[in-house]
Every structure is written in structure tokens, then in C-alpha cells.
């Protein structure tokens, strides 16, 4: 196994230790700048959206105010609260698209440079939720090298390191960006060898392969499973039965327990769900 392809799928496997996460309002960044030129300023209501008492999912206009507030303020307390609010709202697929259309990804991405480690962590968490959207990944990928540098040069098991690993995990579920990690394989091994339980693969990972898990999450872990299988086939490793170290991600995914869980999903009592899963596995 050689070159970036081999390194890429190894990186994807290692990163699993970090975590196993209205209408679309199309508004260009130019329009948003135009609003600013017309005298738009963050109203008090923009700060109110970050105080933790506003439980509703934000709409496009509120997200726009929040992004402007995040971009214009220097107050670390407000920045952190705004990032938490954005991150929570980015967990909803419709808002992932809206935030991208509002030009929010670079606004959030710039905060990973902040000297305040708590702000850096919240920015990584927000990018992690945004990265579930494939179109967003195209814009987020420019931060991968910096995230890697921060993750592997920072304190072991820190909140920033774990947040960065979660983001890298999401960015490498498919083959599109795995090659960007091939220079960091040694660092990934080092983190897994020396990190605490939060950074290691645990057998409880297999609990995600269950019909009771939310469909969006289930389809993502099935994508990972099939992606690793495809990489092994490409590299010729499935011509003979490979031997994997007990406790590794590959051992878990190619063990009897995982095979039984996959079969149970295909044979699910909910016929519609079973058809969806079977069709999805065939497509990927």
C-alpha cells in the first residue's frame, strides 16, 4: 500500500477514534456587504440570540445578524457565545446551507486562529457541524492543514485537540479529502497511542450500527464502513483474508459482531427502512 491513497484510508480509519455528528435562503456575500454599507449594525437582539435563553432554531435573518456580530466584535465573551449558538444551529441541515450562502464559513473559520483556546474550540465545533454538508466541505477543506497543525502541536487530550479530531473525522468519511492527511499519519498514531479514552476506538462504536440510531447518523457510519472496504479492495487486501490487530477499528469492522449488525440492518422489520439501507449500501 503506497502513496497518498493508502495513507488517506489509513488516516480515515485512525480518525474514527476522535468521534463517531425552512427553505434555503440564497443570499450572496456581496448582498450582505451591501446591507452593511446601508448602515446595518448588530442590534441588541443579535446579542440576545447568544445569551442561552433563545431556544428556537434561528432563521436566515437571525443567522445573518449573528454572523455580522461575530465578524465585528472583539469581545471574547460575545465571540464564544456567538460561536456556540452558530454551532448549535449548524446541527440542522437547512441551516448548514444557509450559513454557507451567507458567507459564514470563513467567518467561523477565521476564529480557529484566535489565541483564546475556548474560542478556538467553539469554532472547531461549529465547523464540525457545518462539515456534515458535502458542499460545505469544499470551503472547509482549506482549514485542514491548520487544524492538523493545531491538533498535533497542542496539549494531549485537550478540548481543542478533540474538537479538531472530530472535524477531521467528518472531513474524511468519504474519499474526497483523505489525501490531505497523508503527511500526518505518524502524528495520528502518536495521539492514539498516548491519548486517553476519548481519542481511542472503543467497541461501543459498533452500537451506531443499529436500526434505532437516527438515519442520518446511520448512513454516515455505513458510508465509512463501505469506504474502508472499497479502499481495502483497491489496495488488494481482500484478495486474502487480512489479519487486523485486536481492538483496532479494522478488527471491529471486519469482526463477526459487525457482520451480524449489518445483516440485521438489511433484514430490518421495517421494510421501507431495510430497502433504504440496502439501496444505500449498493450505491456507495
Amino acid at each position: 500500500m503506497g502513496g497518498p491513497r493508502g495513507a488517506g484510508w489509513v488516516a480515515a480509519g485512525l480518525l474514527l477514534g476522535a468521534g463517531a455528528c425552512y427553505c434555503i435562503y440564497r443570499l450572496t456575500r456581496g448582498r450582505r456587504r451591501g446591507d452593511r454599507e446601508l448602515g446595518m449594525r448588530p442590534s441588541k437582539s443579535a446579542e440576545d440570540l447568544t445569551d442561552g435563553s433563545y431556544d428556537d432554531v434561528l432563521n436566515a435573518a437571525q443567522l445573518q445578524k449573528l454572523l455580522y456580530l461575530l465578524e465585528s466584535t472583539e469581545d471574547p465573551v460575545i465571540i464564544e457565545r456567538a460561536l456556540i449558538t452558530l454551532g448549535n444551529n449548524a446541527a440542522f441541515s437547512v441551516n448548514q446551507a444557509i450559513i454557507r450562502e451567507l458567507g459564514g464559513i470563513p467567518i467561523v473559520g477565521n476564529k480557529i486562529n484566535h489565541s483564546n483556546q475556548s474560542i478556538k474550540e467553539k469554532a472547531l465545533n461549529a465547523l464540525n457541524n457545518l462539515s456534515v454538508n458535502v458542499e460545505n466541505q469544499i470551503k472547509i477543506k482549506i482549514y485542514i492543514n491548520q487544524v492538523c497543525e493545531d491538533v498535533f502541536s497542542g496539549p494531549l487530550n485537550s478540548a481543542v485537540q478533540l474538537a479538531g479530531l472530530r472535524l477531521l473525522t467528518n472531513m474524511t468519511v468519504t474519499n474526497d479529502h483523505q489525501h490531505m492527511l497523508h503527511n500526518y499519519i505518524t502524528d495520528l498514531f502518536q495521539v492514539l497511542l498516548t491519548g486517553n479514552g476519548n481519542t481511542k476506538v472503543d467497541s461501543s462504536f459498533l452500537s451506531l450500527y443499529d436500526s434505532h440510531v437516527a438515519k442520518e447518523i446511520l448512513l454516515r457510519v455505513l458510508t465509512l464502513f463501505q469506504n474502508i472496504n472499497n479502499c481495502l479492495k483497491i489496495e488488494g487486501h481482500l484478495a486474502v483474508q487480512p489479519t487486523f490487530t485486536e481492538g483496532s477499528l479494522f478488527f471491529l469492522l471486519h469482526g463477526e459482531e459487525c457482520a451480524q449488525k449489518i445483516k440485521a440492518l438489511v433484514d430490518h422489520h421495517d421494510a421501507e427502512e431495510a430497502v433504504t439501507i440496502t439501496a444505500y449500501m449498493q450505491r456507495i
Side-chain angles (χ1 to χ4, degrees):
M1 163 189 359
R5 181 191 295 277
W9 72 259
V10 172
L14 291 173
L15 281 169
L16 249 294
C21 169
Y22 317 87
C23 62
I24 295 178
Y25 189 91
R26 302 191 63 86
L27 187 63
T28 64
R29 186 163 175 79
R31 167 73 180 277
R32 195 164 64 83
R33 286 174 174 164
D35 289 340
R36 203 177 303 165
E37 290 169 0
L38 290 174
M40 175 182 168
R41 292 294 183 269
S43 66
K44 184 64 171 68
S45 62
E47 293 188 22
D48 289 343
L49 297 174
T50 71
D51 67 4
S53 64
Y54 194 91
D55 296 329
D56 294 339
V57 178
L58 303 187
N59 59 33
Q62 291 168 325
L63 287 169
Q64 185 178 22
K65 290 180 179 180
L66 194 61
L67 286 168
Y68 183 79
L69 176 66
L70 181 60
E71 192 175 29
S72 61
T73 186
E74 297 294 330
D75 187 327
V77 175
I78 295 177
I79 292 174
E80 184 172 358
R81 283 165 36 186
L83 286 169
I84 291 172
T85 303
L86 273 174
N88 290 340
N89 277 268
F92 299 91
S93 58
V94 66
N95 277 348
Q96 293 161 7
I98 291 174
I99 291 170
R100 179 185 70 248
E101 295 296 334
L102 289 171
I105 290 177
I107 294 175
V108 175
N110 286 339
K111 299 307 178 185
I112 68 175
N113 297 311
H114 206 284
S115 58
N116 183 309
Q117 295 299 292
S118 185
I119 288 176
K120 186 188 291 281
E121 177 207 352
K122 303 308 186 298
L124 289 168
N125 287 339
L127 287 177
N128 179 47
N129 284 345
L130 287 166
S131 70
V132 174
N133 182 294
V134 175
E135 290 185 61
N136 287 354
Q137 290 191 1
I138 297 171
K139 294 182 178 295
I140 294 173
K141 69 180 181 180
I142 66 172
Y143 304 107
I144 286 182
N145 287 339
Q146 182 181 344
V147 172
C148 287
E149 294 295 334
D150 290 343
V151 162
F152 302 125
S153 64
L156 187 64
N157 304 319
S158 67
V160 168
Q161 184 180 72
L162 293 176
L165 286 170
R166 285 191 292 269
L167 173 58
L168 294 176
T169 300
N170 261 351
M171 291 294 292
T172 53
V173 167
T174 63
N175 287 328
D176 295 339
H177 310 299
Q178 291 175 4
H179 65 281
M180 300 182 71
L181 299 180
H182 71 272
N183 289 331
Y184 301 98
I185 299 300
T186 301
D187 299 299
L188 286 168
F189 272 116
Q190 184 64 24
V191 168
L192 287 182
L193 285 172
T194 59
N196 64 19
N198 290 327
T199 64
K200 298 178 185 294
V201 179
D202 187 89
S203 59
S204 61
F205 170 71
L206 292 181
S207 65
L208 294 176
Y209 292 88
D210 188 278
S211 59
H212 298 295
V213 171
K215 183 181 292 187
E216 182 178 352
I217 296 174
L218 181 57
L219 294 183
R220 288 183 68 78
V221 295
L222 287 172
T223 298
L224 175 72
F225 174 82
Q226 190 63 28
N227 182 43
I228 291 176
N229 270 349
N230 289 342
C231 290
L232 290 172
K233 290 176 183 177
I234 290 171
E235 298 297 332
H237 285 269
L238 293 187
V240 295
Q241 179 62 37
T243 301
F244 300 117
T245 304
E246 185 173 357
S248 70
L249 171 66
F250 306 102
F251 183 88
L252 287 175
L253 292 181
H254 287 271
E256 181 61 27
E257 183 181 357
C258 186
Q260 291 176 355
K261 284 182 171 290
I262 297 294
K263 184 178 185 303
L265 287 172
V266 174
D267 296 338
H268 191 255
H269 63 83
D270 185 325
E272 182 180 353
E273 186 84 359
V275 169
T276 299
I277 293 170
T278 302
Y280 187 79
M281 291 293 288
Q282 291 172 343
R283 187 171 74 250
I284 59 178

